[in-house]
Amino acid sequence: EAQVTQNPRYLITVTGKKLTVTCSQNMNHEYMSWYRQDPGLGLRQIYYSMNVEVTDKGDVPEGYKVSRKEKRNFPLILESPSPNQTSLYFCASSADRNSYEQYFGPGTRLTVT
Amino acid sequence: GEDVEQSLFLSVREGDSSVINCTYTDSSSTYLYWYKQEPGAGLQLLTYIFSNMDMKQDQRLTVLLNKKDKHLSLRIADTQTGDSAIYFCAERTSGGYQKVTFGTGTKLQVIP
């Protein structure tokens, strides 16, 4: 089954404790992206990647890092999480940068205390 | 820059039509989308329309695009309780990569 998976689905952590949210797709997609969803703000793009070893900042990249060492994986790293990073995070992928459809993962709900 | 706006909430009775509205600012939009998010789930693409089209119909869904006013709407005919969800409008702008800007989302509540 074609899908985008994220782990963990739920995470509660404390300020300053490094964490990684994994994202994996099995569709051989070139383009992958991370979004955060906050009430009243919709989805905002954090980082995106057009292919292996090619990443760039989205609209709200501060406090986040990403890597793209393999085509299928695009982890989101929070080196020193803060409470304002409490949010719902979505990973998405599409075949390439011109493809009209993005496929979304199920989301990761992160709480930073 | 790009900006996409939607009202936050809509309540309709089961069997009625729902109309969810969206406005956007970027005149270089190539595609406009409607995504559905059910509770606890990710976003699912419902339908999309090319920017050179005025209307697209897909079963119970009708998308209307007024490019002059930069206004997009989604009409759901015969709304069912299973249509209760958050609906996101999104625009894709032309340019070097796939920049998609999402609206704030409209929560549709269907009253039985």
Side-chain angles (χ1 to χ4, degrees):
Chain A
E1 181 192 351
Q3 59 183 352
V4 179
T5 56
Q6 296 179 227
N7 282 291
R9 293 290 314 277
Y10 303 90
L11 179 60
I12 301 174
T13 190
V14 295
T15 298
K17 186 176 181 182
K18 180 179 178 180
L19 67 92
T20 299
V21 184
T22 64
C23 172
S24 183
Q25 49 89 8
N26 61 1
M27 296 169 278
N28 201 37
H29 283 171
E30 289 185 356
Y31 182 90
M32 297 184 76
S33 183
W34 275 103
Y35 295 88
R36 59 178 289 173
Q37 180 183 3
D38 300 291
L41 296 176
L43 272 75
R44 294 177 292 167
Q45 191 179 51
I46 303 170
Y47 268 95
Y48 66 94
S49 169
M50 287 200 276
N51 215 324
V52 176
E53 302 291 2
V54 182
T55 64
D56 208 345
K57 297 176 182 177
D59 297 318
V60 288
E62 294 78 19
Y64 304 95
K65 284 174 58 177
V66 292
S67 70
R68 187 91 183 273
K69 293 184 169 54
E70 308 162 282
K71 202 171 188 179
R72 63 184 294 130
N73 296 322
F74 189 44
L76 179 70
I77 303 153
L78 285 72
E79 295 269 2
S80 182
S82 63
N84 65 11
Q85 292 177 299
T86 292
S87 188
L88 180 57
Y89 292 87
F90 288 101
C91 180
S93 74
S94 62
D96 55 49
R97 68 181 188 182
N98 295 317
S99 177
Y100 72 88
E101 183 172 2
Q102 289 192 78
Y103 295 82
F104 282 81
T108 295
R109 185 165 292 282
L110 172 65
T111 302
V112 184
T113 61
Chain B
E2 309 89 0
D3 195 16
V4 181
E5 295 189 355
Q6 304 175 236
S7 55
L8 291 180
F9 192 74
L10 176 66
S11 180
V12 299
R13 293 209 172 273
E14 189 174 18
D16 288 349
S17 292
S18 309
V19 179
I20 303 172
N21 294 301
C22 169
T23 57
Y24 60 97
T25 57
D26 197 317
S27 57
S28 68
S29 297
T30 54
Y31 292 93
L32 293 126
Y33 304 90
W34 284 104
Y35 281 86
K36 179 183 181 182
Q37 183 184 31
E38 296 185 2
L43 276 71
Q44 173 193 2
L45 181 65
L46 261 186
T47 186
Y48 66 96
I49 188 168
F50 294 107
S51 59
N52 62 358
M53 295 170 63
D54 298 323
M55 186 182 91
K56 181 178 181 181
Q57 188 149 4
D58 184 1
Q59 299 181 332
R60 292 191 296 123
L61 305 178
T62 303
V63 178
L64 294 177
L65 174 60
N66 181 328
K67 200 169 181 184
K68 175 175 167 289
D69 294 337
K70 298 188 183 70
H71 182 266
L72 182 74
S73 68
L74 173 70
R75 178 177 180 270
I76 305 172
D78 186 25
T79 312
Q80 303 297 308
T81 54
D83 295 324
S84 292
I86 301 175
Y87 291 81
F88 289 93
C89 168
E91 64 167 348
R92 175 180 158 183
T93 53
S94 60
Y97 81 101
Q98 188 192 44
K99 170 69 174 177
V100 177
T101 302
F102 287 84
T104 53
T106 299
K107 185 171 184 177
L108 174 64
Q109 179 188 43
V110 181
I111 304 166

